[in-house]
Amino acid sequence: MSEGNRYVRLAVFLLAVLFALCVAAQTYLAGMAVLVDAAHWKDHTSFVHVFEFVPAAAFILTFFGRVGGAVRWYSLALFVLVMLQYMTAHIGADAPYVSALHPVIAVAMFWLAAATAMRAYRAWRRGSRA
């Protein structure tokens, strides 16, 4: 594997880890809003803009780093889940049962991000396509 591919694969791994950590932080901010002070909703709704495109960046980098398979498609799935989060957050009273999927999708995003990070780590260390 070329040295350039190695650095791109490292970047994909780091982006997956960053995304998982950001999802955890976002969940914490939601908990702060629900359990401590509703003023934290502003933090929750603002923080997402810091990391919403991280999975899309990882997806694009998989082409440059020649990382295929699960890492590529998990990254794309994570970006789709971010878009679903926006949908469930804004559908509100029109479809409350759909809106209630918002925290469930967050859990799925965290676990998928962790799985992506583990596979991206293997791709980086072994030079495989993952």
Side-chain angles (χ1 to χ4, degrees):
M1 165 174 55
S2 75
E3 198 61 24
N5 282 349
R6 184 166 167 74
Y7 290 122
V8 173
R9 289 173 183 219
L10 173 60
V12 171
F13 164 64
L14 293 174
L15 287 173
V17 170
L18 173 67
F19 188 75
L21 293 173
C22 286
V23 170
Q26 184 73 335
T27 304
Y28 176 78
L29 291 172
M32 290 288 290
V34 170
L35 300 170
V36 177
D37 184 351
H40 289 287
W41 281 122
K42 183 172 178 10
D43 302 331
H44 178 74
T45 58
S46 298
F47 183 60
V48 67
H49 301 301
V50 171
F51 68 95
E52 63 192 348
F53 292 108
V54 168
F59 175 71
I60 291 167
L61 286 177
T62 62
F63 292 96
F64 294 101
R66 296 180 185 248
V67 180
V71 174
R72 177 173 294 163
W73 301 115
Y74 286 3
S75 298
L76 182 61
L78 285 167
F79 184 68
V80 169
L81 288 175
V82 170
M83 296 303 109
L84 284 173
Q85 285 294 75
Y86 276 110
M87 184 197 78
T88 59
H90 291 96
I91 202 165
D94 294 335
Y97 293 102
V98 174
S99 188
L101 289 172
H102 192 79
V104 176
I105 294 169
V107 171
M109 282 192 331
F110 177 79
W111 288 111
L112 188 58
T116 305
M118 287 186 286
R119 288 175 179 264
Y121 177 80
R122 286 196 299 268
W124 169 55
R125 297 303 292 168
R126 295 185 189 151
S128 66
R129 294 182 57 83

